[in-house]
Structures are given as structure tokens and as C-alpha cells.
Amino acid sequence: MNENATVAMVLAGPWVAVLASAIAGRLGRSGDLVARIAAAVVGLGFVFTAAVAIAVSTLWTGSIQVGFGETSLQLDALALIMSMLVLGLSSLIQGFAVRYLRGDPRQVWFVVTANLLTGFTVLMVCAGSVALFACAWVGAGAALVLLLATYWPLARAREGVWRTAVRFGAADTAFLLAVAVLLVGAGGDVSFDQLGAGASGLSAPAQLTLAVMLVLAALARSSQIPFQGWLPFTLGAPTPVSALLHAGVVNAGAILLLRFAPAIAPHRSVMIVVCVVGAATLVFASAVRLARPDVKGRLVFSTMAQMGFMIMACGLGLFAAAIFHLVAHSLYKSTLFLGAGTGVRQHATDRDLPTRTAPSRLVAGLAVAISVTVTVAVLVAAKLVLSPAVSPSSIGLLAFVALTAGVTLAVALATHFSIRTMVVGTTVTAAVGIGYVAFLHLFTGALEPGVPVQGAPGWLLVLPAVGLIAVELLARSSTGAVWLRDRVYTSALAVSLPRNPIRTGAPL
């Protein structure tokens, strides 16, 4: 099979599903049958893409690239990883939706728009030039808005559609202006290989403005401050829509930052802003997540916090680490959304259990000492053995990961301190730490951009670390800081709910 056919087969799955679904829907076929066919076609696309990825990594070198002039499609490491992720998750979620939406009059609408979103997303990650990426980016945004309108008669769904469209429209306008500047300056489309040279031909103020406009689009698509107002209002969509949204679409910001790194990464001031915005969103969303009483609401703000971490890693110049976290987040968050019903039952069970007594000072001290020792020792040893190359940003990120892993282990030990808990907790922490360093090393070798990166200084990670520790302490406070905790709780809950609902024709 030649390169043209290979790329076409990778891209074809969701578009064939869209065509088949639309035709079957017009012919009045059962929505259940349409959904099954679409899920199977996208699943075959995933299988083929996985086979191509194996062949490229074992038989060929570099990437597969086809196109006309500078406008091209490419199957490099990023494109193959993200295509497998998007196609695999889309197929699984659509398979879940076959049962979830069975008999629903909007089932065919979901199938068509879900595959439109899948198709544009795969096209975006496989784009090898600026113009093609921009077309796919706008198409994915429009498809998401249509997908969120699956339950359009519900006022809450219309509210989410409106908020998403307004924020995407504002940020994408800046993005398209930046793309237009690049295309006019180059006299046509620009491949990502030539993006750095094209951007460097502009004046210094124009380069900085260009980088800022590109960053705005990434922040909006990932629901970062100040564009965070759309994601919490998408809960009016059915669970399969939420799973597809949180498993892949909100990750697009990191893809944009990585593909356009030659135009963004050389500007240290812009990278610092990216890092700070991601860190602020991480702390903000973590605080609000604790205040939300509903399971899906907590999952939404958990996603926003994870996207903040991802954007923060990009600001540090650790693009490969951001993609690694993107993949991990997509896999587990889609599972959590599809199992939201189980989460509701578990929450009801936990609520009826007796309140746990606070651990003694001795137990708390031992838990902290063990967690700090284990996490630091495991991560340092794994780093020295598996990936000895270090930089200030990578050390900072590793310290941040050690802090969060240590807090998790300390909470588990303090909640129920026993020999069994200690053995299981330390074993799991060691396995996760070693796996994290190993996979991060592989992703860095495959995805790190080959351009100079002026990342934000690693010491900026102190800010989100302090913020997260403060949030955790306030959440567990039972004495002196109760008034502060309650104030933070009420403020966080207030910002997560609509204060001035947009008029949508029906009450919210």
C-alpha cells in the first residue's frame, strides 16, 4: 500500500461513518443499526491506524507525508499517537452510546455529529501545514457545538451551546487572524517544517502578537482562564457527549501549542504567561471541584484542572510531558464519565458511612514521612536509571509530581494506617513512579519539538504547589480555619453556577 492510500485509510473511518449514518438516517433506518455501523467503522479505523503505527515504528523511519506543495498531511509520531487515541476512544464511546441512546429520537444526530468531530480531530492532528490545520481546527469547534446541541430542547443544553460558541468564536477569530498573517507573509500555505522561518521573517512586535493570538485559541479550547466559562455548562449534553468531549476535544490546546511551537516557544514572555495561566486554572479548578456536590460537576472541574496542568507543562517547554499527560487523562477521564452512574451510587454509599475520626499526630507524621521518602526515592532512582538527562524545568516538573504523589499516598496512609495499606500504597506508588518516568522518556524522544524553546523558569511551579497544598489543607481543616474554608467553599460554588443566565427561550 502506497503512502497516499495509507494516509487516506487513517482519515477515512469517521468520514465513512458520517456518510453511512446520514444516508441511513435519511432512509429511515433504525438509529440503533446506524449507531452500530458507525462504531464498527471507526473501530476498524483504529485497528488500521494501530497497524500503521507499528509499521512506521519498526519498518520505516521519520514519518509518512503526502500532499500538494506546502499543503500536506503527515503521519508522524504525534499524529499516529493522537489518531489512535481519538479513533479508539470514539469507537468505544459510540459503542456505549448504542445502548445509552437506544430509542432516543436524537440518536442519529449524535452519531453524525460525533463522527464529524472525530473526523475533524483526526484531520487536525494529521495536518502537516498551517492552512489545513486551521480548517480542521475550525471544523472541530463547529462539530463540537453541534454535538452539544444533541438535546437542544433543553434550556441547559442551549446555554452550554451558546457559551461554547461565543468563547470559541472570539478565540478562533484571533487564531484565524494569526493564520492569515502567516499565509500572506509566505504567499501561500506554510508547512510546519517551515513555520519557524516564516514567523521569523516578521517584525519583533508582529512575532509577539502572532504568538499571543495562537495561545488564545489554545487556552479557549482547553477551557483555561479567562475562557473557563463554557466547559461547566456542557453538562446538559448526554453522558456519551461528555465522555467524548472530556476524552479528546479539550486536549486540542496542547496539540496547537506543540504544532505551532516554532512560532510560540522562542518568546519567553509568552511561555511564562502560558505557564502562569495553566497554573492558575489548575488551582482554581481544584478548589471548585471540592465544592461541587454533583459527580459530573466534579469531573468537569477535574478535567479543567488537568488541562491546566497540561498547559502549564507546555509553558515550561515540556511539550512531550504535556502530550503524555493528555493521553493518560483521556483514557481515565472517559472511563470515569461512562461510569458516572456508578460514581453516583458510590457517593451515596460513602455519604451514609460513619464519619472517619481524624488520625493522631503520630500516625499523620508517620504517613507524611513514609510518603515523602518513598515518592522522592522512587522518582529520583527512576530518573537516574531510565532518563539521566535533566533540565531545570524537568526537575521542577518531577518535584511537582513527587509532591502530588506524596500527598495522595500520605492521605491514604493517614486514613487507614496499617501494614497492608503501607505495603500496597508504597508498591503502587513505586510502580506508577517508575512507569511515569519510563513513558515520559519515550514520549520525549518521539515528540519533543526540534526548535529552540524558551520555557518558563521551573521555580514557577512553587506557585501552584503552594496553592494546591492550601486547598487540600482547607478541605481537611476541622478547627481554626473553618471560617476560611467555608468562605472559599461558598465562593468556589458561586463561580461554578450561572449568575446571569443567557436568555435561551426557557428557564434554566
Side-chain angles (χ1 to χ4, degrees):
M1 184 180 294
N2 61 33
E3 293 183 350
N4 291 340
T6 300
V7 175
M9 288 292 290
V10 170
L11 295 171
W15 297 104
V16 172
V18 168
L19 183 60
S21 303
I23 293 174
R26 295 291 293 179
L27 294 177
R29 300 298 182 184
S30 166
D32 186 77
L33 176 62
V34 172
R36 290 179 183 276
I37 293 174
V41 171
V42 176
L44 289 175
F46 164 75
V47 172
F48 181 81
T49 304
V52 172
I54 294 173
V56 168
S57 61
T58 57
L59 302 179
W60 304 326
T61 59
S63 62
I64 301 174
Q65 190 163 1
V66 298
F68 302 94
E70 296 298 331
T71 302
S72 62
L73 292 163
Q74 61 182 6
L75 294 181
D76 58 1
L78 177 63
L80 288 170
I81 291 172
M82 294 308 303
S83 295
M84 285 193 297
L85 179 69
V86 172
L87 291 171
L89 289 179
S90 181
S91 177
L92 290 174
I93 293 169
Q94 289 187 59
F96 173 87
V98 170
R99 300 183 302 276
Y100 187 92
L101 296 174
R102 180 173 292 147
D104 194 308
R106 303 289 287 176
Q107 187 175 27
V108 175
W109 175 277
F110 166 80
V111 172
V112 172
T113 54
N115 283 291
L116 275 176
L117 179 58
T118 303
F120 277 118
T121 303
V122 174
L123 180 62
M124 179 182 67
V125 299
C126 293
S129 60
V130 171
L132 190 57
F133 184 97
C135 292
W137 177 271
V138 174
L144 173 59
V145 172
L146 292 174
L147 184 60
L148 293 176
T150 299
Y151 284 166
W152 180 256
L154 297 180
R156 192 180 183 188
R158 295 198 296 274
E159 176 80 359
V161 169
W162 175 256
R163 289 177 180 271
T164 303
V166 168
R167 285 160 178 79
F168 280 17
D172 287 356
T173 298
F175 173 67
L176 292 177
L177 288 174
V179 169
V181 170
L182 288 170
L183 299 185
V184 170
D189 201 358
V190 182
S191 68
F192 287 120
D193 293 336
Q194 301 298 320
L195 179 59
S200 63
L202 303 173
S203 63
Q207 291 182 40
L208 187 61
T209 303
L210 179 74
V212 170
M213 290 192 293
L214 293 172
V215 165
L216 287 176
L219 297 180
R221 196 61 61 95
S222 296
S223 190
Q224 300 294 287
I225 294 173
F227 301 100
Q228 80 282 1
W230 67 271
L231 188 59
F233 296 92
T234 61
L235 294 179
T239 293
V241 173
S242 297
L244 194 59
L245 167 62
H246 290 260
V249 177
V250 294
N251 298 320
I255 305 299
L256 187 152
L257 292 176
L258 180 55
R259 286 300 194 201
F260 286 85
I264 298 172
H267 303 283
R268 189 176 182 84
S269 59
V270 176
M271 296 290 280
I272 291 175
V273 170
V274 171
C275 180
V276 170
V277 169
T281 306
L282 169 61
V283 176
F284 163 78
S286 298
V288 177
R289 181 185 65 84
L290 297 176
R292 290 291 297 230
D294 56 315
V295 172
K296 287 184 72 174
R298 291 186 177 186
L299 291 177
V300 163
F301 282 96
S302 171
T303 292
M304 193 183 298
Q306 289 291 330
M307 293 305 99
F309 184 90
M310 179 188 70
I311 294 297
M312 182 179 68
C314 289
L316 292 169
L318 304 175
F319 293 100
I323 300 300
F324 171 69
H325 282 276
L326 180 159
V327 172
H329 170 263
S330 296
L331 293 175
Y332 88 80
K333 188 53 64 70
S334 59
T335 303
L336 289 178
F337 262 101
L338 296 181
T342 303
V344 172
R345 290 195 298 270
Q346 185 61 45
H347 178 71
T349 301
D350 293 342
R351 183 182 55 197
D352 295 334
L353 293 175
T355 303
R356 292 190 178 97
T357 58
S360 64
R361 292 185 178 181
L362 176 61
V363 170
L366 285 175
V368 171
I370 292 172
S371 62
V372 170
T373 302
V374 170
T375 53
V376 172
V378 167
L379 290 175
V380 169
K383 182 68 175 175
L384 291 175
V385 174
L386 300 175
S387 180
V390 296
S391 66
S393 295
S394 64
I395 293 175
L397 183 64
L398 204 63
F400 190 87
V401 171
L403 174 65
T404 55
V407 169
T408 303
L409 180 58
V411 170
L413 294 176
T415 301
H416 183 70
F417 192 89
S418 65
I419 298 298
R420 179 182 178 182
T421 304
M422 185 170 61
V423 171
V424 173
T426 54
T427 302
V428 171
T429 300
V432 171
I434 294 171
Y436 175 84
V437 175
F439 278 104
L440 188 58
H441 177 65
L442 292 176
F443 272 67
T444 301
L447 300 177
E448 201 65 26
V451 296
V453 177
Q454 297 293 327
W459 64 263
L460 283 176
L461 287 171
V462 173
L463 302 179
V466 171
L468 292 175
I469 291 174
V471 168
E472 185 68 26
L473 292 177
L474 285 175
R476 298 182 178 276
S477 174
S478 59
T479 54
V482 171
W483 66 272
L484 181 58
R485 181 195 64 191
D486 292 343
R487 191 176 185 87
V488 172
Y489 178 93
T490 54
S491 299
L493 187 60
V495 300
S496 70
L497 299 173
R499 289 173 291 179
N500 298 304
I502 298 170
R503 296 181 180 179
T504 54
L508 292 177

